[in-house]
Amino acid sequence: MATLSQWVAGSRPRTLPASLVPVVVGTGVASGEGGAVWWRAVLAAVVALVLQIGVNYSNDYSDGVRGTDEDRVGPLRLVGSKVAPPKQVLAAALGCFLAAAVAGLVLAAVTTWWLLLVGAFAILAAWFYTGGRAPYGYRALGEVSVFVFFGLVAVAGTVYVQVEGLPWEAWAAAVPIGMLACGLLVANNLRDIPTDREAGKRTLAVVLGDRWTRLLYAACTALPFMIVLVLAAPHPWALIALLAAPLSLPPTQKVLGGATGPALIPVLGETGRLQIVYGVLLAVGLAL
């Protein structure tokens, strides 16, 4: 029986900023449009957070029963480490998906019912990332999914449920947030290239190889600051997001410096902090 601290570790808390930051940024856009509705923003945050936790438990279950996690270097895996039965981890994942669906149902009821389709696609994407017979996470499509759902869908969706419209700022702000979310996954998969290759898991990192994966990570952490310059043309206050730039240096130096294995574990936390600070500053800048 896993302890509470092990369940928390199994939720992979260092990855959770990827779910909350898009909601913060989307709310900043909505506020700048004069239409922020805080209770809807809170519900959007609930959807995003529990869906992300569900994704992490789902991945833990699917990778664990396949044996992919048996020699994993990174954070605790509940099934792979045999600290929790697979059925319990699966139940936790499904419970999170159900909670996200309920919160999403409320948002759809007060806005538009087509949001239910978006939510259904998000849950299916969460499960089939590593679940099912042909998981797309094993076919180098994980980063595409993260960019779409933790960037475009999360930011634009948060804006929509509050202002019931999609200004161009929603899409422009979604791009850098999606890239930083991809940075988290790229760092994780860079660390796991040897074990994933051996297990037959063809992540984008495995396909690109070590050198190009490191360059991809650097792009994911650098390009968001260039996009700020585009947003700053009509929204000068967006430039305050550049204050987060120094936080991109330590993880990028580790990645480009050739860190491997356990030396890459801190990169996840540092990338998460970068995403939080960047997202909060960008949200404030767009709200002003």
Side-chain angles (χ1 to χ4, degrees), residues 90-212:
L90 176 60
L94 295 178
C96 289
F97 293 155
L98 178 60
V102 171
L105 180 63
V106 175
L107 287 173
V110 297
T111 53
T112 177
W113 288 102
W114 63 257
L115 284 179
L116 293 178
L117 292 176
V118 177
F121 279 120
I123 291 174
L124 289 173
W127 173 254
F128 286 106
Y129 175 60
T130 56
R133 294 183 178 180
Y136 65 87
Y138 283 42
R139 287 165 171 76
L141 294 173
E143 283 76 5
V144 174
S145 179
V146 165
F147 181 79
V148 170
F149 288 101
F150 290 93
L152 302 182
V153 171
V155 176
T158 299
V159 175
Y160 185 85
V161 298
Q162 295 182 68
V163 304
E164 298 190 33
L166 288 173
W168 72 269
E169 289 90 345
W171 301 109
V175 172
I177 298 305
M179 295 188 73
L180 288 172
C182 284
L184 283 167
L185 182 58
V186 171
N188 183 77
N189 289 344
L190 171 65
R191 183 198 65 220
D192 294 337
I193 285 178
T195 54
D196 285 343
R197 183 182 289 122
E198 184 176 345
K201 184 175 181 180
R202 296 185 74 252
T203 63
L204 183 60
V206 169
V207 172
L208 292 178
D210 185 89
R211 179 174 179 270
W212 285 104

Side-chain angles (χ1 to χ4, degrees), residues 7 11 15 17 37 122 126 129 149 158 192 220 238 240 255 266 270:
W7 278 105
S11 72
T15 68
V37 182
Y129 175 60
F149 288 101
T158 299
D192 294 337
C220 287
I240 64 174
V255 170
E270 292 168 347

Side-chain angles (χ1 to χ4, degrees), residues 73 191 250-251 254-255 258-268 270:
V73 175
R191 183 198 65 220
K254 289 184 179 70
V255 170
T260 59
L264 283 168
I265 294 176
V267 172
L268 286 177
E270 292 168 347

